Amino acid sequence: MSPMSVPKSSAVVLRAHRTDLTQRPSSLLQVAPVELPPLNEGQVRVENTFQQIIAATGDLMLEQPRLPIPPFRIGEPIFGPAIGRVVESRAADRPVGTTVLHMSGWREHSTLGAAETFPVPDGAFPGPEYLLNQGVPAYHGIVDIAVVGTDDTVLVSGAAGGVGSMAAQIAKARGAARVIGIAGGADKCRFLVEEVGLDAAIDYKSENLDDRLTELAPDGISVFFDTVGGAQFEAAIRHAAPGARFALCGVLAGQIGGGDGGFPRLDIMTALVNEIQIRPFSTRHTPEQVQAWNSHYASWHAEGRITFAHTVLKGPLERAITAQDELFAGVHRGNLIVKLTGSST
Ligand SMILES: NC(=O)c1ccc[n+]([C@@H]2O[C@H](COP(=O)([O-])OP(=O)(O)OC[C@H]3O[C@@H](n4cnc5c(N)ncnc54)[C@H](OP(=O)(O)O)[C@@H]3O)[C@@H](O)[C@H]2O)c1
């Protein structure tokens, strides 16, 4: 595609901030036409092919999201992880045709500095979308924060989600004695045991957490990787073994749907008697954190020690907006990705 023939393009734009956590993202986002500026030296134009859908997008729709990332602005395109192909280049190290991963997704075409793009290696995975995973925070939480080892009984909440499915598998790959996932629904629990390889799964929607944890971890859990908060955090405290490490990653029960998951009641006496170490963490995606995950991902995948649990939906940009609603509703399993097909203009 020559610089003169780049077509009119589209982007997903924030119409208004999220003021009520029960609002569906689709009520605040819309696809709008955008102008594509001429490239400056060192820039590339990327035609996006895969858009990753993550929970943090909902946080960034708030006026003051409290994340270590700038929030979305009203009337401007939103952003997030995507993969595409360079279709125009003024950077010698990113020639036309290069497949790249970048953070300026949610648009048909992204215009960005070559240094903000990461070439996707050929052949390391079945498809480039395998790079749209949440392994970096999962690895950081399991390895650096919880320091999972072979003696551990690990409990992971949100285990059928993007971060949780990776965290549970990383714990297995580190040789944890037992990994138990919590997810919503019998299908997701079956998926976690039969396809993702967890030792057991608890359906928090239909099963009693205390009964199941007593049954599955009679000596208590030694690690809790929590993406949910709320009642699941409280149950994990009740079933923690002495010296248990809690890696607090997210509060889906509060971020999605407006529950009070971010404010669980902490039984301090139980926590102090058992000397539970509660460690919230916020992954900065430092080069060291990214490298630590990347140094394992391809080899563990090739050896069959982890799978990339994911769902790929297909459609134009509008499909990414409805997919964000579906992520919140828990409709899909694993990482959620939209394969962008055709133009939405
Ligand atoms: N600390 C860090 O550095 C860091 C970095 C990245 C992400 N995160 C956090 O990690 C968490 C997971 O992110 P993700 O993008 O991978 O999202 P995700 O887990 O794929 O989120 C979607 C899932 O959330 C679950 N869910 C929805 N409402 C829920 C509720 N009320 N209670 C419990 N579960 C609910 C649903 O699973 P079920 O059907 O099983 O309920 C749904 O499938 C988020 O909290 C995110 O902010 C933290």
Side-chain angles (χ1 to χ4, degrees), residues 10-334:
S10 300
V12 174
V13 166
L14 183 69
R15 289 178 40 234
H17 287 299
R18 205 168 158 223
T19 51
D20 168 355
L21 294 177
T22 63
Q23 286 167 307
R24 283 182 300 127
S26 61
S27 66
L28 304 168
L29 299 171
Q30 69 180 33
V31 174
V34 289
E35 288 180 10
L36 294 175
L39 293 189
N40 293 324
E41 189 58 35
Q43 284 190 315
V44 292
R45 185 109 61 219
V46 177
E47 186 174 70
N48 292 315
T49 44
F50 292 101
Q51 177 61 51
Q52 187 179 17
I53 311 297
I54 56 176
T57 301
D59 300 303
L60 293 171
M61 291 170 67
L62 297 166
E63 194 167 3
Q64 295 183 324
R66 299 189 299 166
L67 290 184
I69 316 173
F72 301 149
R73 293 174 192 280
I74 292 173
E76 293 186 11
I78 67 168
F79 53 84
I83 281 178
R85 197 173 63 89
V86 174
V87 291
E88 200 184 333
S89 176
R90 292 192 64 192
D93 56 351
R94 298 288 187 276
V96 167
T98 311
T99 300
V100 292
L101 167 69
H102 63 89
M103 288 299 297
S104 297
W106 287 97
R107 48 201 101 182
E108 286 177 350
H109 295 89
S110 303
T111 304
L112 67 172
E116 299 167 68
T117 68
F118 304 91
V120 174
D122 271 343
F125 297 101
E129 69 276 19
Y130 279 57
L131 271 290
L132 291 176
N133 66 79
Q134 308 236 41
V136 176
Y139 188 91
H140 179 49
I142 289 290
V143 176
D144 303 329
I145 305 297
V147 199
V148 168
T150 52
D151 291 336
D152 283 316
T153 295
V154 180
L155 179 67
V156 177
S157 62
V163 176
S165 60
M166 275 300 183
Q169 293 186 84
I170 292 166
K172 288 290 288 181
R174 295 265 297 177
R178 193 162 175 71
V179 179
I180 303 161
I182 306 177
D187 277 352
K188 286 188 178 181
C189 289
R190 204 165 23 247
F191 165 74
L192 286 175
V193 174
E194 292 176 7
E195 296 182 42
V196 183
L198 271 57
D199 297 295
I202 303 171
D203 173 7
Y204 74 89
K205 291 186 175 168
S206 71
E207 296 183 304
N208 181 288
L209 274 177
D210 286 304
D211 291 349
R212 290 287 279 145
L213 284 170
T214 301
E215 176 192 338
L216 295 170
D219 298 326
I221 54 163
S222 57
V223 167
F224 182 39
F225 184 98
D226 191 13
T227 65
V228 169
Q232 296 183 28
F233 171 88
E234 291 172 9
I237 290 280
R238 288 193 292 275
H239 292 267
R245 290 96 66 202
F246 279 36
L248 303 190
C249 178
V251 285
L252 288 165
Q255 289 165 279
I256 295 177
D260 61 356
F263 302 91
R265 286 166 62 92
L266 174 60
D267 174 354
I268 295 177
M269 184 57 84
T270 297
L272 68 85
V273 166
N274 285 321
E275 297 189 308
I276 300 170
Q277 300 171 42
I278 298 176
R279 297 190 61 186
F281 68 95
S282 185
T283 312
R284 308 283 157 156
H285 284 75
T286 63
E288 294 75 21
Q289 289 171 344
V290 173
Q291 172 57 22
W293 166 237
N294 285 343
S295 68
H296 289 96
Y297 181 35
S299 57
W300 281 351
H301 188 270
E303 292 161 11
R305 294 170 71 188
I306 56 171
T307 62
F308 176 45
H310 67 293
T311 301
V312 180
L313 308 172
K314 290 184 186 160
L317 266 185
E318 286 85 351
R319 186 68 187 96
I321 297 178
T322 50
Q324 188 71 45
D325 285 353
E326 291 165 12
L327 181 93
F328 282 14
V331 173
H332 303 291
R333 309 187 298 201

